[in-house]
Amino acid sequence: MSEIAMGIDLGTSYTCVAIIEDGVPTVIPNEWGERTHASVVSFMDDGRVLVGNDAKKQIITNPDHTVYSSKRLMGRFFFSEEVRRAQEMVPYTLVEGPNNSVRIQIRNQTYSPPEIAAIILKEMRQIVETHTGTEVRKAVITVPAYFNDNQRQATKDAGKIAGLEVLRIINEPTAAALTYGFGQGYHQRVALYDLGGGTFDISVLDIGDDVFEVLSTAGDTYLGGDDFDDRIMHWLADSFQAKQGVNLRKNKYALQKLKEAAEKAKIGLSEHEVVQIHIPLIHTDESGYSLDFSTTLSRTDFNRMVMDLVQRTFKVCDEALSSSQLTAANMDCVILVGGPTRLPIIKSSVRHYFQKQPLTDVDPDEVVGMGAAIQAHALLDSQQSTFLLDVTPLTLRLGTVGGYSEKVIDKNTPIPIDRTRCFTTAADNQEKVKIRIYQGESNRADENALLGEFEFSGFRVASRGEVTIEVTFEIDTDGIVNVSARDVETGARASTHLNLSSGLSEQEVAAAHARHQDLQIAQR
Amino acid sequence: MPVDPNIHPHWAQETKELAARLDELDYFEVLGVAQVAPIVEIKEQYHSLQRAYHPDTFYQSPDTDLKDAVFRIAKRLSEAYVVLRDPARRARYLKDVSGDERKQKLRFTEESESKVRKDQEATQGQTSQGRNLVAKALKAIDDGDLRSAERDLKTALLFEPKNTSIQSRLELLREQMKSG
C-alpha cells in the first residue's frame, strides 16, 4: 500500500479529516461513525483527556477545564482585542505566557493554543490510523484564507507538536475549490463563500483544467457561526430575565446551557420555520425550587437578530471583488462552504448578492477536508495533476519612524514571492539593525498585526552610511513570511534574531512535543 | 548531490542555470512573452510556466539544489506576473527597462511603484460625485439593472471626463448589454 497523507480541516468549532481512497477524496469517520468532530478538548479530574464530541458534552459539566473555540486564540498576543473578547466569552481561564503570548490555564498546568490544537490533530491521526491500519505521519492542514503569518505559524507548530510532518498549510476556500474542480474540467470564475464556526472568508478563483489561480481573497477572522449562536444565547438570557427577573449571564453553567440550546435552535431553523426551545433546570432559586425554560424561536425573528452579521459578510465580499476589479455579476458560480451556510438566511442572501443559485453539491462541513486530502495526495506524487496559485491575504508592512508603516508586499499578490529592501547604518560602528514587520491595511503601524521584531547583526562595522544591508522579505507557498538579510558589499549573510513574536520558539515546540507524547487521549 | 530519477538530468541542469541567471532577465524574458503581448497571453504563459516549475511538483525531490532553483523561479514568475498583468505598472516598467538604467531596473523598484500609485490616484475618482456615481453603477450592475448603471457611469463621466477607468467600465458594460 502506498504512503498515506491526511487532509485536516482544523476548524474553530468542528474538525474533519479525509484521505484519498481508491483515487477518491474520502472523509474518515471515527469508530462511532461521526464524520466531524467538535474542536474541543476536556481535561478530566482523573487525568483523562477527552477530545471531540465527547469533550463537547463536558462543556456544561466541566466548564473550567474544557477548551473550545481555541482557534480564535491561535497566533494572538495576550494584549490583543481578540483575546480580550474571547476572555469575556469562554469559561476557561486565559493567562499571559512568555513574550506577551496567550496560555490556557487548566488546574496547575498551562497550555498554548497550538498545544490544544495538537491534541485535536493527534485524535484525527488516530482516527485515520484505526481506519487504515497503517501509521500516518504526513498531513496538509487548512487555515482560513485571511489568517496572518502568526496564525499560520501557530497552526504549523500545532502539527509539529502532534508529531506530524506538515506538508503544506493551505487556505480553506482554496481547498474547497479543489474538491469541486477535481477532475471535472471546469473553466470558470468561481467565488467561494466560506462561513465557518469562527471565521469568514471569500475567495475569487479562476479555475482552468489543472490550474487553480486565486485572484483575490478577503475575510474576517472574528465572524462565524459562533456569533450567530451568541445572538440567540443573549436573546434567551434577555427573555428569561424579562420573564423571571433572573440574570442567567452571571451563572457560567446556565450560560453554557443557553449556548448549547442556541446552537441546537440555529441548526433546527435550517429545516423548520419555528423551533421549540426547552432547557430543563436552568435555574434554582434561593428556596431550592428549580425552573425550566421554554420558548419558541421563529426563522423571521432569528433572521432579524443576525441581519447585521450577514451584511458584514457582504462588505467583505465587496472588498474581495473590488480588489480583483470584478463584480458579483462576473462570477460563473458561487460555492457555499462551512456548516453555517446551511442557514436559509445565508443561502438566500448569497443568491441575492451574486444573482445566482449557489452550489452546495458537496457537504459544506466536509468539502474543505476533502480538498486538503487532494492536496496532500498531490504532494506525495510528483505526477500531480493540479496546481494551486494562491495569494497573500494581507499587506506586508515595515515599521517606519513615528509609528507609521509602509507597504512591502501588497495584499492579493500571488505567492511564493519575495521583495528586497536596503537599509544603511545610521550611526558610526553600528552593530545591529532592527526592523519591525506587520501585516494589515493601515498606515499606522499599531493598527496592524505585529509579526515580529527582527534584529540583524554580524555585518561589517564601519562609519555610518557605509554599510548597506539588503533585507529580503519572502512569503512562501504556505503563506508564511521569512526574513533574511545580507551585507550588500561583501554578500555575507547577517544573522537574524527574532525578538518579539506571539509564537513558540523551536525549543518550546520540541518541549511541547516531548510532553505530549505521554498524553493519552481517552477512548470511549 | 542526490539526483532525482524522475527528472531528466539535462532539464534539471537547465533549470538550475535559469535560476542562477534570473537577475539578468527582464520580466518579459522571465515569462517568455513579447513586450506587446496581450494580457491573456501573459496569463496563459504564467500558468504554463507555473505548471513546469511549481514547487509542489518537486516536493519529494531529493535534489535540494533543484528544489531551491524552482522555488526561486516560481517567486520571480509571480513577481513578473503582478507587474505585467497590470496596465499601469506594465507601462512604467517598459519605460524602466527601455532606458539607460535598464540593468538597475530589471526588478520593479519601489520608486516606480510609488509613481504608479500617484498616477492611479490622479485617474481614479478625483471628485466625490464621480466616486459615488461609480459605486451606484456597480450596485446597479449587481442588481442586474444595466440601464441604470449605464446612466450613472455616463453622469460620472460628466464630472470626470478624463477618467479612463470610468470610460473602460462603460465600454465593458455596453458590450455586456449588447451580448444580452
Side-chain angles (χ1 to χ4, degrees), chain A residues 168 206 210 213 416 474, chain B residues 43 47 51 56 75 78 81:
Chain A
R168 179 62 44 87
D206 267 351
D210 56 352
E213 181 190 355
E474 175 191 277
Chain B
K43 189 178 173 109
H47 285 182
R51 250 179 226 123
D56 284 357
K75 285 191 292 185
S78 313
Y81 180 55

Side-chain angles (χ1 to χ4, degrees), chain A residues 3 28 30 117 119 135 207 241 244 266 292-293 295 316 378 407 443 446 453 489:
Chain A
E3 195 179 10
I28 305 302
N30 64 11
I119 296 171
E135 200 201 3
I207 303 179
Q241 192 160 15
Q244 307 287 352
K266 178 189 74 176
D292 290 1
F293 181 20
T295 187
V316 178
K407 290 183 181 182
N443 285 331
D446 57 9
E453 182 183 85
E489 202 177 311

Side-chain angles (χ1 to χ4, degrees), chain A residues 25 48 66 76 86 101 122 179 182 187 203 224 250 276 314 426 453 470 475:
Chain A
R48 284 183 307 145
T66 302
R76 302 282 190 196
S101 62
K122 271 191 152 176
T179 307
F182 191 52
H187 235 294
S203 287
K250 290 185 177 158
Q276 301 289 327
F314 293 110
E453 182 183 85
E470 182 189 74
I475 305 180

Side-chain angles (χ1 to χ4, degrees), chain A residues 303-467:
Chain A
N303 291 353
R304 219 180 6 248
M305 277 176 214
V306 300
M307 201 27 121
D308 61 307
L309 296 174
V310 177
Q311 286 311 325
R312 259 169 72 195
T313 68
F314 293 110
K315 280 229 166 72
V316 178
C317 293
D318 288 345
E319 209 184 299
L321 289 168
S322 85
S323 192
S324 50
Q325 293 171 324
L326 294 167
T327 66
N330 293 131
M331 298 300 118
D332 294 317
C333 72
V334 186
I335 294 172
L336 293 180
V337 183
T341 62
R342 286 205 180 84
L343 287 168
I345 174 81
I346 298 289
K347 276 190 189 158
S348 66
S349 306
V350 169
R351 187 173 59 234
H352 185 256
Y353 180 89
F354 288 99
Q355 295 292 310
K356 46 188 69 76
Q357 189 66 35
L359 295 184
T360 51
D361 303 11
V362 185
D363 187 326
D365 283 320
E366 301 182 351
V367 64
V368 171
M370 286 160 73
I374 293 169
Q375 178 67 4
H377 187 73
L379 287 170
L380 291 188
D381 177 9
S382 57
Q383 301 302 311
Q384 70 168 99
S385 49
T386 51
F387 300 93
L388 286 189
L389 305 173
D390 220 316
V391 297
T392 180
L394 294 150
T395 302
L396 186 69
R397 293 172 174 275
L398 178 67
T400 56
V401 284
Y404 286 90
S405 72
E406 59 179 62
K407 290 183 181 182
V408 180
I409 298 175
D410 275 328
K411 66 173 176 183
N412 292 320
T413 298
I415 53 172
I417 190 128
D418 63 20
R419 280 284 142 81
T420 57
R421 284 290 179 91
C422 290
F423 299 86
T424 50
T425 49
D428 290 341
N429 303 321
Q430 189 173 337
E431 290 179 352
K432 286 175 185 162
V433 170
K434 275 187 200 174
I435 59 163
R436 281 190 173 204
I437 61 169
Y438 300 85
Q439 265 180 327
E441 306 314 319
S442 172
N443 285 331
R444 300 279 321 168
D446 57 9
E447 287 172 8
N448 301 295
L450 173 68
L451 302 190
E453 182 183 85
F454 293 82
E455 190 179 278
F456 306 114
S457 56
F459 43 81
R460 283 172 302 136
V461 176
S463 312
R464 77 186 148 138
E466 265 186 25
V467 181

